[in-house]
């Protein structure tokens, strides 16, 4: 009986200590955000040059209508998964979906995030840096449109919930490269290549956990 009572007391003490022992912080950080990206687009220019008293337009038969200048706004969905080495150094992987006009790209990038001041408060500012490659997604050009290299710096504000989760507001810049290879003769023995450079400012909101 005494042995049973002693064992019961030991179990109660161990359980009480386990309840009062502080939980270890989760070293993994996962964020999911959604927002918009916007940028000024210049109008298309024909590849024209003067020829005596005329203006010559090469490949005019394969020329698409000119695009007017203006602001463009597209949807962006972003996710990040990283491991916290320090509060100011969290390397990981970023991926998502970005829309530029009617063309979508699927970025996959090496990324790093971190708290700027290296400690947690109710409001915490953080930075982010990304560099990688984007695959072409649904677009009106089909397989002619190819993805390309991207890089993106950003800064944000996290409202901590106190249980490892938080609400995020972030903004930054993204540079995305792409190219379109259009066949002139139908089999791409002859082709024309358009190199694209998308430069956008993004504004996103989401959650971290």
């Amino acid at each position: 009986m005494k042995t049973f009572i002693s064992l019961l007391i030991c179990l109660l003490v161990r359980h009480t200590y386990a309840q009062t022992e502080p939980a270890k912080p989760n070293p993994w950080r996962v964020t999911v955000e959604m927002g918009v990206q916007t940028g000024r687009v210049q109008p298309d220019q024909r590849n024209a040059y003067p020829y005596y008293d005329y203006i010559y337009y090469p490949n005019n038969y394969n020329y698409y209508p000119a695009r007017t200048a203006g602001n463009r706004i597209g949807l962006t969905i972003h996710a990040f998964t990283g491991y916290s080495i320090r509060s100011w150094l969290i390397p990981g992987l970023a991926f998502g979906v970005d829309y530029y006009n009617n063309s979508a790209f699927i970025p996959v990038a090496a990324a790093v995030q971190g708290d700027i001041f290296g400690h947690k408060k109710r409001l915490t500012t953080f930075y982010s840096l990304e560099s990688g490659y984007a695959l072409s997604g649904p677009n009106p050009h089909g397989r002619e449109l190819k993805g390309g290299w991207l890089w993106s710096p950003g800064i944000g504000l996290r409202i901590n919930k106190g249980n490892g989760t938080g609400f995020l507001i972030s903004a930054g810049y993204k540079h995305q490269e792409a190219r379109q290879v259009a066949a002139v003769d139908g089999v791409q023995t002859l082709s024309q290549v358009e190199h694209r450079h998308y430069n956008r400012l993004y504004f996103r909101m989401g959650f971290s956990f």
Side-chain angles (χ1 to χ4, degrees), residues 183-197:
V184 175
D185 58 353
V187 295
Q188 289 191 353
T189 302
L190 296 175
S191 62
Q192 56 185 9
V193 181
E194 175 189 355
H195 294 277
R196 300 184 179 184
H197 299 270

Side-chain angles (χ1 to χ4, degrees), residues 129-151:
L129 296 172
E130 299 177 7
S131 180
Y133 189 91
L135 304 173
S136 61
N139 67 86
H141 308 293
R143 295 184 178 180
E144 292 182 352
L145 185 62
K146 312 295 182 181
W149 177 65
L150 70 92
W151 63 276

Side-chain angles (χ1 to χ4, degrees), residues 141-167:
H141 308 293
R143 295 184 178 180
E144 292 182 352
L145 185 62
K146 312 295 182 181
W149 177 65
L150 70 92
W151 63 276
S152 175
I155 191 172
L157 178 68
R158 184 173 66 254
I159 304 174
N160 296 306
K161 292 286 189 177
N163 56 355
T165 63
F167 177 74

Side-chain angles (χ1 to χ4, degrees), residues 72-140:
R72 298 292 187 270
I73 298 178
L75 176 69
T76 175
I77 303 173
H78 180 269
F80 168 80
T81 301
Y83 187 85
S84 179
I85 299 175
R86 295 287 189 273
S87 62
W88 50 269
L89 181 61
I90 307 174
L93 183 68
F95 54 93
V97 179
D98 293 326
Y99 286 91
Y100 299 90
N101 300 339
N102 54 0
S103 299
F105 291 89
I106 304 172
V108 179
V112 59
Q113 289 188 9
D115 299 335
I116 293 178
F117 299 106
H119 56 269
K120 293 184 178 180
K121 291 185 177 181
R122 179 64 175 173
L123 299 178
T124 303
T125 54
F126 65 91
Y127 72 90
S128 64
L129 296 172
E130 299 177 7
S131 180
Y133 189 91
L135 304 173
S136 61
N139 67 86

Side-chain angles (χ1 to χ4, degrees), residues 5-93:
I5 294 175
S6 300
L7 181 60
L8 182 61
I9 294 174
C10 291
L11 290 175
L12 290 174
V13 171
R14 184 180 180 87
H15 178 73
T16 303
Y17 178 77
Q19 293 295 325
T20 57
E21 184 180 7
K24 294 182 180 180
N26 183 9
W28 290 94
R29 176 177 293 184
V30 179
T31 67
V32 178
E33 296 178 274
M34 180 180 294
V36 296
Q37 50 188 13
T38 178
R40 183 73 176 176
V41 177
Q42 297 180 353
D44 284 335
Q45 299 293 331
R46 293 192 179 191
N47 185 19
Y49 57 87
Y51 183 76
Y52 292 103
D53 294 331
Y54 301 93
I55 300 297
Y56 178 60
Y57 297 98
N59 297 331
N60 191 54
Y61 62 89
N62 204 30
Y63 178 75
Y64 293 97
R67 177 187 59 196
T68 59
N71 292 321
R72 298 292 187 270
I73 298 178
L75 176 69
T76 175
I77 303 173
H78 180 269
F80 168 80
T81 301
Y83 187 85
S84 179
I85 299 175
R86 295 287 189 273
S87 62
W88 50 269
L89 181 61
I90 307 174
L93 183 68

